[in-house]
Amino acid sequence: MASKLGMIVENIYTVLVANEIHGYNVVECHEWSEEEKKDLEFFDRMPVLKITSELMDYIENGMNELPEQLLKDIEGKTKVKVVHEWTTVKYAFVATDGQRVIVVNAKESDRPRLKGRLVPRIEQLVYEITEGVEPTEYEFTKPERVGYLFDPKLMIGLTRKERQKKQVLYYGLQDFEYEEHKNLSKIKYYYGEFNYKGLDSISSNTFDEILHRLMDEVKVGWTKAHDQLTKLIVSTDEYLAELYYALD
């Protein structure tokens, strides 16, 4: 069995995303835009950690405090050569649970300030060198309240644009929860635009019941109905409209 610590990968190219709590927005390399490719980050060498899936979720989907022992294990092991001088990044590493891989650069903080993905060749190397390695068990406290709108696993299988549009949809639906005057006719109209056949089944429901049912029904996938509902919602919200139409 390979050693848990001391694993290193070299020649890492990645696009680092700042302060991102949604793992689905830390995109795979095939979804990097041309602009992002111009700002590729390079590291000569980085430590690799095999961690549990629970810790992977905690790091990938949040801006949570990294385990103290993890920081000690990787401190100063990331190296970058600038001209002929070697520089050290205090807290940076590659982590995998055997199913996913993420690059983290916390710089000198205790939180995953910058996150990225690897190119396929290096990602495959990470899987190979961690195969047969038991995950290191780091102590951490799960947050009582998560910061993302819904289970990130619901974004699996969608394109980058679809994921971003779905996030706008959820922002719009979430805003309805905080409306002072909850218009029952309006929420029924929105529901009918997404699921016309289900209108009869919500005829006696309250505003909140219909809204929560709609939020539940839009969770899976991305269809023409999702897109039409989003366009309808953003038509009355200038900020969300700007976010949405910037994606086309």
Side-chain angles (χ1 to χ4, degrees):
M1 179 179 293
S3 170
K4 290 184 179 182
L5 301 176
M7 296 179 290
I8 295 288
V9 286
E10 298 180 336
N11 301 322
I12 298 108
Y13 288 93
T14 186
V15 169
L16 292 174
V17 183
N19 302 318
E20 181 56 68
I21 64 170
H22 300 97
Y24 53 78
N25 285 333
V26 184
V27 301
E28 303 292 340
C29 72
H30 67 273
E31 291 188 313
W32 292 342
S33 69
E34 291 305 313
E35 285 301 310
E36 287 169 333
K37 290 176 183 178
K38 293 177 184 178
D39 296 319
L40 282 173
E41 298 276 351
F42 177 76
F43 300 89
D44 287 277
R45 52 192 291 128
M46 260 187 172
V48 178
L49 297 175
K50 180 77 171 285
I51 60 176
T52 64
S53 294
E54 291 76 17
L55 181 55
M56 191 74 171
D57 287 338
Y58 173 86
I59 294 172
E60 197 174 44
N61 297 302
M63 195 53 58
N64 305 301
E65 186 176 341
L66 296 167
E68 183 178 353
Q69 187 58 52
L70 183 155
L71 293 173
K72 289 180 180 178
D73 288 343
I74 55 92
E75 185 173 358
K77 292 182 179 178
T78 292
K79 306 291 183 182
V80 179
K81 194 172 187 179
V82 181
V83 190
H84 300 296
E85 296 289 332
W86 285 99
T87 62
T88 298
V89 182
K90 188 172 184 180
Y91 296 130
F93 60 97
V94 176
T96 182
D97 62 353
Q99 303 295 320
R100 297 162 287 171
V101 178
I102 194 166
V103 181
V104 173
N105 183 3
K107 296 190 174 181
E108 296 191 3
S109 77
D110 61 357
R111 297 178 188 274
R113 300 294 182 192
L114 299 165
K115 304 176 192 176
R117 305 293 181 184
L118 294 173
V119 297
R121 179 178 61 84
I122 302 299
E123 182 178 80
Q124 184 57 38
L125 179 60
V126 170
Y127 287 133
E128 290 174 3
I129 66 176
T130 57
E131 186 176 2
V133 176
E134 289 297 317
T136 302
E137 297 281 348
Y138 291 107
E139 291 186 8
F140 67 100
T141 302
K142 294 181 179 179
E144 293 183 6
R145 185 176 181 276
V146 295
Y148 43 87
L149 299 174
F150 48 88
D151 187 347
K153 293 182 176 64
L154 293 169
M155 292 294 199
I156 293 174
L158 304 184
T159 66
R160 182 177 188 177
K161 183 182 290 187
E162 288 170 344
R163 295 194 303 271
Q164 291 172 324
K165 285 186 173 183
K166 193 168 186 178
Q167 186 166 300
V168 173
L169 171 58
Y170 261 83
Y171 285 146
L173 291 174
Q174 190 180 54
D175 285 346
F176 292 154
E177 292 192 289
Y178 303 104
E179 288 188 349
E180 185 176 352
H181 303 291
K182 299 189 175 184
N183 188 319
L184 183 60
S185 296
K186 182 175 76 171
I187 198 63
K188 282 185 176 181
Y189 172 63
Y190 284 138
Y191 181 87
E193 286 297 301
F194 183 76
N195 180 10
Y196 181 78
K197 293 181 179 179
L199 276 175
D200 288 344
S201 64
I202 62 161
S203 58
S204 60
N205 287 14
T206 66
F207 179 98
D208 286 334
E209 288 171 341
I210 297 170
L211 173 60
H212 293 151
R213 178 165 171 175
L214 181 55
M215 293 179 78
D216 188 61
E217 289 187 13
V218 301
K219 282 181 178 179
V220 178
W222 183 261
T223 65
K224 185 176 180 180
H226 285 85
D227 207 36
Q228 289 175 335
L229 176 62
T230 308
K231 287 178 179 177
L232 184 63
I233 290 172
V234 304
S235 66
T236 58
D237 189 310
E238 185 177 344
Y239 172 70
L240 290 182
E242 185 176 340
L243 290 178
Y244 177 82
Y245 286 106
L247 299 171
D248 284 334

